[in-house]
């Protein structure tokens, strides 16, 4: 059996033994094609004051972070969710509904700004700890 697998691998087959079959190129998960937009926003025609925001070349990591931050805005955000429609399509689709007092895209941008501030705070804390360890 081992000889058959070795011969099949040499011939380009092998049923997964050292050969990538039907696998996407790794860069396709991260590199945005020249003709694509990173973000698209579409107004929801059925739900008042709601939008669908699609972010290309992202996954559940960014989806969950942004959704969680949107949920923190209890004053304006009435609904926030996301989905990755297919594991081979590297895009996250958010649904955001806000109160009539606030545009849902503004709520989304505010959530991104708060996340950016949080990342800066974490970065500063790490730098302080690294300096303390080195010093």
């Amino acid at each position: 059996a081992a000889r058959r697998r070795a011969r099949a691998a040499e011939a380009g087959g092998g049923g997964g033994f050292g050969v990538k079959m039907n696998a996407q190129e790794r860069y396709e998960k991260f590199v945005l094609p020249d003709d694509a937009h990173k973000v698209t926003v579409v107004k929801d025609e059925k739900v008042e004051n709601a939008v669908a925001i699609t972010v290309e070349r992202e996954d559940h990591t960014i989806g969950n972070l942004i959704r969680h931050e949107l949920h923190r805005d209890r004053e304006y955000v009435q609904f926030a969710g996301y989905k990755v429609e297919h594991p081979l399509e590297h895009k996250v689709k958010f649904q955001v509904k806000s109160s009539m007092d606030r545009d849902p895209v503004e709520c989304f941008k505010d959530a991104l700004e708060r996340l950016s501030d949080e990342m800066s705070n974490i970065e500063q804390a790490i730098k302080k700890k690294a300096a303390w360890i080195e010093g």
Side-chain angles (χ1 to χ4, degrees):
R3 284 185 188 169
R4 268 185 284 154
R5 284 193 298 266
R7 275 187 263 138
E10 287 174 11
F17 292 96
V19 178
K20 288 174 37 176
M21 298 179 72
N22 297 329
Q24 288 181 309
E25 293 296 330
R26 193 171 215 157
Y27 70 88
E28 289 180 10
K29 297 178 183 179
F30 309 105
V31 178
L32 190 65
D34 292 336
D35 61 340
H37 297 283
K38 180 70 175 175
V39 178
T40 56
V41 179
V42 177
K43 186 178 184 306
D44 193 316
E45 299 297 326
K46 296 178 183 176
V47 180
E48 193 173 24
N49 219 40
V51 293
I53 300 171
T54 303
V55 183
E56 291 286 340
R57 298 306 188 258
E58 297 295 347
D59 59 14
H60 289 286
T61 304
I62 201 76
N64 201 35
L65 275 169
I66 294 172
R67 179 199 55 83
H68 182 74
E69 190 60 40
L70 283 163
H71 282 208
R72 288 176 151 180
D73 185 354
R74 293 184 176 152
E75 184 176 355
Y76 296 115
V77 175
Q78 294 178 345
F79 175 81
Y82 82 93
K83 64 181 174 180
V84 175
E85 292 181 342
H86 191 279
L88 296 178
E89 291 181 11
H90 308 290
K91 59 184 172 184
V92 180
K93 185 176 182 180
F94 294 92
Q95 294 291 130
V96 181
K97 178 178 176 11
S98 65
S99 65
M100 296 307 289
D101 304 355
R102 185 91 179 179
D103 180 53
V105 175
E106 290 301 315
C107 292
F108 194 85
K109 290 196 286 188
D110 289 347
L112 292 176
E113 185 66 33
R114 289 191 304 273
L115 283 171
S116 178
D117 292 346
E118 183 72 21
M119 294 301 121
S120 294
N121 292 340
I122 292 170
E123 180 183 17
Q124 293 305 314
I126 290 171
K127 286 179 179 178
K128 285 181 184 176
K129 287 292 181 182
W132 177 76
I133 292 170
E134 292 172 0

